[in-house]
Amino acid sequence: MTYMYEYPEYLKIKLPKKTARRYPAYELYLYGEGNYAEENKNLLLTGIPILFLPGNAGSYKQVRSLGSIALRKAEDVDFKYHFNFFSVNFNEELVALYGGSLQRQTKFVHECIKVILKLYRDGEFAPTSVAIVAHSMGGLVARALLTLKNFKPELINLLITQATPHNAPVMPLDKYLTDFYTAVNNHWILKAQDLRNLTTLSVAGGFRDYQVRSGLAFLPRLSQHDSALSVVSSAVPRAWASTDHLSIVWCKELILATIRAFFDLIDENTRQITEDPKKRMSVLHHHFVRHPAKIFEENPEAFTELKGAFMWITVKASKWTHSVYNDSDGRYFTFPLASHRKSYSHVYCANSMLDTSSWIYGCMNSNSSMCLEATDLSWRAELLPTTKVVMLKLQDYPSLSHIVIQVPPAVGNKYTLDCEFFREDSRTLQLPVTHLFSFGFSSSKILLNSTGLLYNVQLQHFNQIYQAFKIYVESHCQSLKERKPSVYRLHIPWSHEDSIIVAKVPSFTEISAKLHLAQPQSDSRVPELNIYSSPDCQYEVILKTSLLQVLGQVIRFHAGALPVYVISNILLTYGGQLSTLVSTGQCSDFSHELVRTAKPYKVEPLISVVVLLHGFNWFREMWESLSLPEVDAAVLSSQDAWFPLVSLTLFLFGTGIAYWSGVFFSTSLRLFSSLWFAVFRPTVLPKDNKLITRRSLCGVLSLALVSWTTCGAFAVLIIYLQYLFKVIKLHVNVRAEQSVLNGDSNCSKETSWNSRIHTVKKQSSVDSTSKATQSLSSSTTIAEAISSLKMHVTILNLFTWIVLLNLPSLVYWLKNLRYNVRLDPDPCRSTAIILVCILEILMNSSTSEVKSSKLLKITAKVPLPLSVAMLAFGRMHLYRVSHFVIFSLLLHVLCCAV
């Protein structure tokens, strides 16, 4: 977490009247603190402009960490260079769930960039472009700038995104959101060559980010070129940690890496961020991919003079260790390579002194024991948490005659240097991963009797996102002397998603092994567990499948599709209840029908066959000729995001959620009806309700007007509450009628008993028969009412999920109500009008009307194909779910009328 030393201030930048009038909810701010904030109030800016874009429900004040750290860094260089951090206030809109405002935000950012550049136009080093740092959905808005017709690409030269879902929306709740994604990604793919002057870095949060999985944060593969880079925070040097979705904005290590990169990107001549794309990418690689533990240099010198009156010592051994503590004399250790080239393939050196000075060199064609001029191999080093290491393949350096290790005087410092020569095959071991269905009962094991400093354990057949393992590394040492900690790195070669763990020696360490991206088909490299070990220690590596983490991968990659599976289960149950109504004349209970009807074998096989056939060109051509949308499972399969049994797992999860939501719903209805019954005590069931009345017609017109003039989701919520009220009222009336019937039954039994003891008149017998007939009629009425109640509860349960899927647009509308009464665009407007018409009729219907309909048999069979279609086309397009439900309910309405 970042810290600050002065109170933050946010100076509101005055926008042109036309811009302010067009975007009343949005604002632009300049960050400052202390004296710096006071100096900037006159807006005579001389720094380098950086624009921060917040994400979904994000605040413009999240720029504080970047601005504060950059200010401290500028003070360190006496303000030779400094940055001006601007931030956009998007009114904390829910753009990850409602896509209607994304285009508006994009256009506003364009206006902000023009306003920012105008603030510098009279300066000596006036910038011509703005760098952008964007969090979450702000990164997508920044990328969308390039799709605007009147946007000049040279206005931005650097874009850094933090936990931005670039590939697809997390929850595709409306068509505007998915269309926006399609437009942006298609533009970046088709115009990739035109975007080479824009350098893009995407930083993902790793496995702790439960909102945006890191696979979504990687830039689309086809758009990646020399100026695009995607990394996970766990692989970023000096960070080496996963972050959650919000903390990535203020994670100190990531912010420091970002600010250091900004200062290294400055061109001394223009005093702005360099216009050289190669330098920008080199800087980003230096700070976010592989840090050599040296201060960045654009063009490091090819040769370096080895100065100083140091002692030269020749080392001929293949393995060497040197400890330094309060050493006042400097030394050069030289390692002749001629004697090692035949026996060994690699040389590995490690240095526990984590300063930024050069320490390892290569001498060329030196026949003496000294080397006055050498190439600096420190740039080949890599920084790890406890050491900096260099591994060189001797074959790649045929001109080198010696390796030289520099050990400068160390007063008060204690550190260790290690070097060894080895053959690659002697340090590479293969560990096949366990099968998915081993469920953790079997394991793969390997034992290392460490005599070296580095081992690479190749994890064979570890290449799919559904695989998840626990790796246990146990270290034992013969002696009890103090040792350097071991470093374990899980290296994924096809993406920058490594994870690093530091462990004491001896210790027992648990490592989670799972992927953010599946292995591309064109890549044959294998993931590795790199063990930076301590000599003379034994390491035992055990690998087991982790069932919980496999389920975690399923949820991580497909949790957004769970509502589709829940609604599919409820729709199957609804169809089962209609079938029961056809066969028995009564509607069955929701829970019982869910268990009986909602079976995965009814829907999954057909989808699996279609996905399989999509692998053939002739089927795809036929599918496209019919103008059918792509099957979502086929799309996910092509993106390597679909894996065996995932649909079955999600279906079972959906069944469980549907069951317990039904139990909760029924319990809530009983509770509300009990409270109502205790207060009002109604006694009569409604008789012969008309489907369409003047009152209901007025309600339909009123809600249609509300939907058209305000917000469709608001009208849906109103009709939902009205339907809920009707169902609760029906539940209360049924309870009241049952109470009356029970009372009459007891009275009838008492009369019958008295008639056996006493002599009664004939008229008394007639009255008893009349009461029995009336009781039978009441029982039939109650049975019909209970059947209708069960059907209404299922429809209401189904409708509840539709309301939840449309809730984000309602929240967005309420939040922006002070700016505009009408939500525009509204993804729910037409859907709301249709739903209002359907539900106004359904809430007055009963099963007695439905079971006499000629269309009932057809209507009962429709939910099954609709459930299949929902799972086929709704996983990646949640807004389509409402259409399938509406079609099913529309047939129900026709049953009531025909």
Side-chain angles (χ1 to χ4, degrees), residues 56-114:
N56 178 60
S59 169
Y60 65 94
K61 294 182 179 181
Q62 290 173 330
V63 73
R64 179 196 65 79
S65 295
L66 284 166
S68 184
I69 296 294
L71 183 59
R72 303 283 84 79
K73 180 75 172 175
E75 289 176 349
D76 292 341
V77 296
D78 295 327
F79 282 93
K80 179 181 179 181
Y81 309 114
H82 70 278
F83 292 87
N84 303 127
F85 278 86
F86 297 86
S87 184
V88 173
N89 178 17
F90 284 136
N91 195 32
E92 300 184 9
E93 293 177 339
L94 297 173
V95 287
L97 304 175
Y98 168 73
S101 63
L102 284 169
Q103 192 68 20
R104 190 182 303 117
Q105 288 189 1
T106 304
K107 292 179 179 179
F108 179 73
V109 172
H110 184 199
E111 297 299 324
C112 287
I113 291 174
K114 292 189 286 188

Side-chain angles (χ1 to χ4, degrees), residues 301-320:
E301 295 182 2
F303 297 97
T304 304
E305 292 185 10
L306 300 182
K307 300 177 181 179
F310 291 179
M311 183 186 300
W312 287 81
I313 302 173
T314 302
V315 180
K316 295 183 179 180
S318 62
K319 187 175 180 181
W320 169 81

Side-chain angles (χ1 to χ4, degrees), residues 808-820:
S809 60
L810 175 63
V811 175
Y812 180 91
W813 173 72
L814 290 172
K815 195 166 187 178
N816 290 272
L817 193 58
R818 55 178 174 169
Y819 302 112
N820 201 339

Side-chain angles (χ1 to χ4, degrees), residues 1-18:
M1 185 172 181
T2 55
Y3 300 91
M4 55 189 307
Y5 303 96
E6 295 179 282
Y7 190 77
E9 295 186 33
Y10 302 88
L11 177 64
K12 186 176 178 180
I13 304 297
K14 187 177 181 181
L15 300 173
K17 291 183 179 179
K18 185 177 179 181

Side-chain angles (χ1 to χ4, degrees), residues 103-402:
Q103 192 68 20
R104 190 182 303 117
Q105 288 189 1
T106 304
K107 292 179 179 179
F108 179 73
V109 172
H110 184 199
E111 297 299 324
C112 287
I113 291 174
K114 292 189 286 188
V115 169
I116 290 169
L117 292 178
K118 283 182 181 180
L119 296 175
Y120 295 86
R121 59 185 172 186
D122 297 327
E124 182 181 358
F125 299 98
T128 58
S129 61
V130 173
I132 295 179
V133 179
H135 174 243
S136 188
M137 292 297 289
L140 188 69
V141 170
R143 289 178 61 217
L145 287 168
L146 282 302
T147 66
L148 298 178
K149 293 181 179 180
N150 57 344
F151 183 80
K152 298 177 181 178
E154 57 269 18
L155 289 179
I156 53 174
N157 57 10
L158 177 64
L159 170 61
I160 298 177
T161 65
Q162 302 168 330
T164 295
H166 289 293
N167 281 290
V170 177
M171 293 289 287
L173 292 175
D174 64 62
K175 194 172 187 298
Y176 302 112
L177 191 58
T178 55
D179 287 350
F180 190 83
Y181 264 91
T182 302
V184 172
N185 286 330
N186 285 346
H187 182 88
W188 276 61
I189 291 170
L190 298 174
K191 303 290 184 180
Q193 295 300 320
D194 299 338
L195 304 177
R196 296 181 69 88
N197 288 327
L198 171 62
T199 303
T200 309
L201 169 68
S202 175
V203 182
F207 288 109
R208 287 186 181 176
D209 190 341
Y210 298 109
Q211 296 183 44
V212 177
R213 62 179 178 86
S214 295
L216 292 178
F218 282 76
L219 292 163
R221 290 177 183 175
L222 293 178
S223 72
Q224 288 199 18
H225 42 74
D226 295 340
S227 58
L229 179 64
S230 300
V231 299
V232 179
S233 61
S234 60
V236 175
R238 296 198 274 193
W240 297 303
S242 177
T243 66
D244 63 49
H245 192 64
L246 284 179
S247 66
I248 197 171
V249 176
W250 56 73
C251 173
K252 182 180 179 181
E253 289 75 15
L254 285 177
I255 296 299
L256 285 171
T258 305
I259 298 303
R260 290 181 187 126
F262 277 144
F263 276 88
D264 286 340
L265 286 166
I266 297 174
D267 187 326
E268 293 185 359
N269 296 322
T270 63
R271 296 200 174 187
Q272 297 294 326
I273 290 179
T274 179
E275 295 296 327
D276 183 3
K278 290 185 178 179
K279 180 182 177 180
R280 293 199 297 261
M281 188 53 63
S282 297
V283 170
L284 295 180
H285 266 277
H286 179 92
H287 289 283
F288 288 92
V289 178
R290 186 186 179 97
H291 198 295
K294 285 181 64 65
I295 297 173
F296 176 80
E297 293 180 25
E298 184 177 0
N299 296 306
E301 295 182 2
F303 297 97
T304 304
E305 292 185 10
L306 300 182
K307 300 177 181 179
F310 291 179
M311 183 186 300
W312 287 81
I313 302 173
T314 302
V315 180
K316 295 183 179 180
S318 62
K319 187 175 180 181
W320 169 81
T321 298
H322 182 71
S323 297
V324 181
Y325 181 63
N326 278 338
D327 196 344
S328 59
D329 298 325
R331 293 180 177 85
Y332 286 118
F333 292 90
T334 64
F335 299 80
L337 298 181
S339 60
H340 296 299
R341 288 187 182 274
K342 292 182 180 180
S343 304
Y344 306 105
S345 62
H346 289 72
V347 59
Y348 169 85
C349 293
N351 185 352
S352 61
M353 172 62 78
L354 302 182
D355 61 354
T356 57
S357 59
S358 296
W359 60 284
I360 183 169
Y361 304 89
C363 276
M364 296 186 181
N365 302 320
S366 175
N367 296 321
S368 65
S369 60
M370 298 178 60
C371 180
L372 300 179
E373 190 176 63
T375 180
D376 191 351
L377 297 177
S378 303
W379 293 104
R380 303 288 186 271
E382 182 176 12
L383 181 65
L384 295 175
T386 61
T387 185
K388 50 187 177 183
V389 300
V390 173
M391 187 169 68
L392 304 175
K393 189 175 182 179
L394 297 180
Q395 187 179 352
D396 295 340
Y397 299 89
S399 60
L400 294 186
S401 61
H402 291 74

